[in-house]
Amino acid sequence: MSEKKPADVATLSFERALAELEGIVGRLESGTVPLEESVAMYERGEALKRRCEELLSQAEARVQKITLDAAGKPKGTEPLDIG
């Protein structure tokens, strides 16, 4: 029986990456994982964390903020300045 190879982190959706990261954290916190496996899991967790941060940053860049005219009424949108 062959072991299932983990998905490439770069192809994961935010939801899948976060779910896998939460699973890794739970297993590491249990303290029952051997040292070598813990190190590999930690490294995968770091990659998943970076993927989640990347996807969140992309989502923020796409958010539009509403601009108001002098009377306080919406007049349109402009890109959110996340810099």
Side-chain angles (χ1 to χ4, degrees):
M1 181 178 191
S2 67
E3 193 171 311
K4 184 178 175 184
K5 183 179 178 190
D8 181 15
V9 172
T11 65
L12 294 178
S13 68
F14 176 81
E15 293 78 10
R16 281 203 55 208
L18 185 59
E20 186 178 340
L21 181 56
E22 289 171 341
I24 286 172
V25 169
R27 288 193 60 206
L28 289 174
E29 286 179 342
S30 74
T32 61
V33 182
L35 179 61
E36 284 298 316
E37 188 178 348
S38 292
V39 171
M41 289 174 67
Y42 180 85
E43 290 171 346
R44 174 113 176 136
E46 279 295 314
L48 291 164
K49 176 181 158 280
R50 283 191 303 275
R51 175 67 175 161
C52 288
E53 289 171 342
E54 171 191 356
L55 292 170
L56 283 173
S57 179
Q58 290 173 8
E60 285 177 346
R62 293 183 4 223
V63 170
Q64 299 289 313
K65 69 177 181 179
I66 298 173
T67 58
L68 305 176
D69 62 17
K73 297 189 183 206
K75 67 176 184 173
T77 61
E78 63 184 44
L80 177 66
D81 180 15
I82 60 170

